Amino acid sequence: MRITIIGTGYVGLITGVCFAEMGNQVICLDIDDDKVKKLNGGNIHIYEPGLNIIYSRNRKEGRLHFTSNLADAITKTDIVFLALPTPSKEDGSADISTVLAVSSSLAKLFSEGKKNGDFKYKIVVNKSTVPVGTSARIKEILEEFGLVSGEDFDVASNPEFLREGHAVEDFMRPDRIVIGVSSPKAEKILKEIYNPFVRSGNPIIVMDEKSAEMTKYASNSYLAARITFINEIANLCEQIGANVDHVRYGMGTDRRIGTKFLYPGMGFGGSCFPKDVRALSSMAEQSGYDFQMLNSILNVNRLQRTRILKKMTNYFGENLKDLRIAVWGLAFKANTNDVRESPSHYLIRELVSKGATIIAFDPEALETTKQELGTLIEYAEDQYAALERADALVIATEWNEFRRPDFKKMKKLMINPLIFDGRNLYEPNIISQYGFEYFSMGRPEMSRK
Ligand SMILES: NC(=O)c1ccc[n+]([C@@H]2O[C@H](COP(=O)([O-])OP(=O)(O)OC[C@H]3O[C@@H](n4cnc5c(N)ncnc54)[C@H](O)[C@@H]3O)[C@@H](O)[C@H]2O)c1
């Protein structure tokens, strides 16, 4: 099968590489020439475990190509996947202008091809997270250019559920694949290309396009709700002297609840959860439904991002001038270089505005952070270098290498052995034995012995 991916970011690149791995001929397009040049030159702009190996293999085998020329990308293709950005607008709704603009460009090229007798049936599959009704809008756009649905093209919705940091693994072995499609022909072809990914029996769930679009928002908002719930439980634990570690274990072992997504922290971030909860809330509002829970999720998450800051100002006072704060972790979560809506970045900006000097380290997200924060902060070459003469350490991302550090070395490097842990990486009683003061989320605080 010949597959085109439009938008070669986190989702598009993983999709392209994984389809190539299954033997398809894949061409990935991006508007960003620089990105395309890098990808053609062997350089990947995102960090994902396992990506480099299959990218290199499929490049070598000649199954994976990159271009910024749309006509070249679609001439011979059977299926076009859209993996384009759908950021939040000011009012919280999803901005689908790129998806619609690219659909128009495709429609124009398809109809020119049809006139020249150089065109065959294609499926346009939307992978971007988009409001309910967007597939229907894409179909209308193609029809406006004289193309006939079911004959020249079909449109399908195929929301993506991969997690950054586990993206290759998730794409290669998904829990399920959701396809919103009404054409039996398109359904058959899409099942064919996805069958190799569900050999272990996980389902390909076929439904109407609107339900598929809704499934993505419902899933992300539900996951955001779980995180928010455990964050509030953690806050209450602090208030009344319980320990959230015990509580979440006690809760999560109930099979109706399960243990996943019950880790308290600094609030959810990233390019998906905040924007998708906002978009679903806005969609509900536009349809005349007051989805109260979503608004609470957003409000609680906003407050949660300030929890560590509050702990710090309780300790140091409001003015953080002359304090040197080390920050471990800049990515919005571990195993990615993505810093979009990162709780770490939010905290850093607040600390800087209160006068603190920040020296930060992240195993993969230093470059992406430099693009955002530039000279606002200092950057350390490794996790220990960040600690030199530090008045406190903040742990903001749960990278594995932060889990078992050399505490003795840390204590020697820091002026003040003080840790604010937004990710609950350490056992409070153990860390206090090393002589640290330790503040974490929803657990008893430990003073130095
Ligand atoms: N990142 C995730 O974990 C994830 C997971 C599931 C779904 N999604 C959804 O998938 C979509 C893409 O997300 P992403 O994280 O891959 O975004 P991204 O910003 O990493 O990638 C989008 C890419 O599209 C390119 N682009 C922008 N305009 C273009 C145009 N007109 N023509 C061609 N290319 C263009 C950009 O240069 C960029 O490389 C979003 O709707 C997102 O909500 C993301």
Side-chain angles (χ1 to χ4, degrees):
M1 202 79 77
R2 287 178 175 271
I3 295 175
T4 300
I5 316 285
I6 303 191
T8 312
Y10 284 86
V11 169
L13 182 59
I14 300 291
T15 304
V17 166
C18 292
F19 276 137
E21 178 72 359
M22 292 301 179
N24 298 292
Q25 271 296 328
V26 175
I27 182 156
C28 296
L29 174 131
D30 205 280
I31 199 170
D32 182 340
D33 272 329
D34 202 41
K35 211 175 265 185
V36 170
K37 267 191 206 122
K38 280 188 184 146
L39 286 162
N40 274 325
N43 297 311
I44 305 180
H45 57 287
I46 63 174
Y47 172 74
E48 270 300 331
L51 178 59
N52 217 335
I53 296 168
I54 55 172
Y55 159 86
S56 304
R57 181 165 50 232
N58 285 285
R59 291 278 298 150
K60 205 166 124 220
E61 301 285 335
R63 286 192 295 264
L64 185 60
H65 311 273
F66 300 94
T67 183
S68 48
N69 184 311
L70 189 59
D72 288 352
I74 56 145
T75 322
K76 294 194 181 124
T77 203
D78 302 297
I79 309 180
V80 180
F81 282 89
L82 307 182
L84 293 160
T86 50
S88 287
K89 286 198 221 165
E90 285 269 303
D91 64 0
S93 62
D95 180 353
I96 56 165
S97 55
T98 307
V99 171
L100 299 182
V102 167
S103 301
S104 293
S105 306
L106 284 175
K108 194 160 172 270
L109 286 167
F110 290 174
S111 77
E112 277 166 13
K114 195 177 163 187
K115 276 179 207 141
N116 300 336
D118 181 20
F119 180 78
K120 59 173 183 167
Y121 168 83
K122 297 187 201 310
I123 312 175
V124 177
V125 187
N126 179 49
K127 245 188 191 314
S128 301
T129 304
V130 290
V132 170
T134 304
S135 292
R137 196 59 207 100
I138 297 172
K139 179 168 169 268
E140 271 170 24
I141 290 173
L142 290 157
E143 284 172 342
E144 280 161 18
F145 280 79
L147 297 156
V148 181
S149 168
E151 215 172 272
D152 296 324
F153 76 93
D154 276 304
V155 174
S157 162
N158 170 218
E160 181 50 59
F161 298 98
L162 62 77
R163 296 163 299 166
E164 285 182 25
H166 302 266
V168 173
E169 184 194 329
D170 286 349
F171 200 97
M172 296 302 279
R173 276 174 293 280
D175 287 345
R176 79 310 201 184
I177 286 157
V178 170
I179 299 176
V181 65
S182 28
S183 143
K185 181 158 92 178
E187 177 182 332
K188 185 168 171 283
I189 296 170
L190 287 171
K191 278 185 171 164
E192 254 169 55
I193 68 157
Y194 271 121
N195 269 332
F197 296 92
V198 289
R199 309 266 317 157
S200 54
N202 288 353
I204 296 178
I205 305 171
V206 177
M207 57 182 78
D208 64 277
E209 295 87 336
K210 283 185 173 178
S211 303
E213 289 163 343
M214 186 60 157
T215 301
K216 175 65 191 176
Y217 282 115
S219 302
N220 270 7
S221 298
Y222 177 70
L223 293 170
R226 274 179 77 99
I227 297 172
T228 303
F229 183 80
I230 201 67
N231 279 337
E232 291 229 272
I233 291 290
N235 297 345
L236 188 55
C237 282
E238 282 178 20
Q239 203 81 9
I240 59 184
N243 184 332
V244 73
D245 282 350
H246 301 318
V247 176
R248 89 184 159 71
Y249 186 52
M251 280 171 70
T253 39
D254 183 328
R255 273 178 293 165
R256 292 170 302 175
I257 297 173
T259 50
K260 291 183 177 160
F261 274 78
L262 283 184
Y263 293 92
M266 294 166 58
F268 57 78
S271 67
C272 292
F273 285 180
K275 109 174 149 56
D276 292 350
V277 178
R278 287 194 290 264
L280 185 58
S281 171
S282 156
M283 219 188 307
E285 199 182 314
Q286 279 171 27
S287 78
Y289 181 72
D290 181 14
F291 203 144
Q292 297 189 33
M293 191 174 157
L294 294 179
N295 298 330
S296 297
I297 293 171
L298 292 168
N299 287 336
V300 171
N301 200 54
R302 217 169 284 130
L303 286 174
Q304 193 65 24
R305 292 197 305 187
T306 65
R307 290 290 293 190
I308 282 280
L309 181 70
K310 285 223 175 76
K311 287 172 195 276
M312 296 179 80
T313 50
N314 282 346
Y315 189 95
F316 290 115
E318 283 298 321
N319 188 352
L320 304 181
K321 205 166 167 285
D322 300 329
L323 288 179
R324 193 170 166 81
I325 310 286
V327 176
W328 280 5
L330 296 161
F332 83 95
K333 64 174 192 171
N335 292 317
T336 180
N337 64 342
D338 196 346
V339 294
R340 291 176 282 185
E341 297 209 34
S342 169
S344 171
H345 278 207
Y346 173 80
L347 175 67
I348 286 173
R349 286 184 196 277
E350 291 292 316
L351 292 172
V352 170
S353 77
K354 289 184 183 297
T357 299
I358 304 294
I359 174 137
F361 173 73
D362 188 286
E364 294 293 339
L366 285 176
E367 285 312 313
T368 42
T369 295
K370 280 177 192 168
Q371 286 162 24
E372 291 280 316
L373 300 182
T375 55
L376 193 67
I377 63 172
E378 294 172 31
Y379 302 91
E381 275 179 11
D382 64 59
Q383 66 195 77
Y384 296 104
L387 299 177
E388 278 172 39
R389 294 176 289 112
D391 294 285
L393 164 66
V394 177
I395 297 174
T397 312
E398 69 286 16
W399 285 97
N400 277 341
E401 60 201 274
F402 301 155
R403 288 179 193 275
R404 297 290 306 274
D406 182 338
F407 290 117
K408 285 185 185 149
K409 182 171 173 183
M410 287 167 68
K411 200 172 165 214
K412 271 192 200 137
L413 288 166
M414 295 175 73
I415 289 179
N416 196 15
L418 169 63
I419 300 177
F420 293 92
D421 181 358
R423 301 291 178 173
N424 284 3
L425 294 194
Y426 311 128
E427 280 304 321
N429 55 346
I430 293 178
I431 195 102
S432 72
Q433 281 165 18
Y434 282 97
F436 283 88
E437 257 182 299
Y438 183 62
F439 297 89
S440 58
M441 314 300 284
R443 308 187 298 177
E445 282 156 7
M446 287 284 170
S447 297
R448 150 179 19 159
K449 289 215 165 124

